[in-house]
Amino acid sequence: MSRNAKINTLLLLVVAALAVLPLLLGLGDHKEEPFTGADAEAETAITELEPDYEPWFSPLYEPPSGEIESALFALQAALGAGVLAYYFGLRKGRRQGEAHAAATATATATDGTTPAGTTAGSSAAATVAPAGDE
């Protein structure tokens, strides 16, 4: 198993433990709603400290039910994960392209031929585009 595979497995186990341990240990059993979000916790704390408090702003859109709110949150998370995956995939592809171009350039410099098998000074070699110019 490679070093990266070991690190990824360890991180996956840590994430699974963070999700499962609070449920197994019963950390939210004493509450009416055991695992509410930070917004609900903050709202409860504010109303306990200052019962007459009125918020400065109101939401632009209030979903009609909790299920719709959860679905919108999941959609937001999925879109964010997609953008991050695209970015990291693009960076990895560019890195691999640069490594391939460098390897090709090294091979060209050592034996005097291009990837197509022609000599470096011929006109056919001039038509071959570098890997990163697409």
Side-chain angles (χ1 to χ4, degrees), residues 74-107:
L75 178 65
Q76 177 186 359
L79 286 173
V83 168
L84 285 175
Y86 174 78
Y87 172 74
F88 287 122
L90 184 68
R91 287 209 30 192
K92 182 175 183 176
R94 284 185 180 170
R95 222 174 330 155
Q96 287 176 343
E98 289 171 359
H100 178 68
T104 304
T106 303

Side-chain angles (χ1 to χ4, degrees), residues 26-78:
L27 296 178
D29 288 344
H30 64 282
K31 297 182 179 179
E32 185 176 317
E33 293 183 46
F35 298 105
T36 59
D39 292 344
E41 292 286 332
E43 185 179 343
T44 303
I46 289 170
T47 54
E48 285 177 4
L49 294 174
E50 188 70 37
D52 298 332
Y53 175 77
E54 291 184 29
W56 293 0
F57 301 100
S58 62
L60 297 175
Y61 172 70
E62 187 72 36
S65 69
E67 291 83 10
I68 293 175
E69 186 176 357
S70 294
L72 289 174
F73 181 74
L75 178 65
Q76 177 186 359

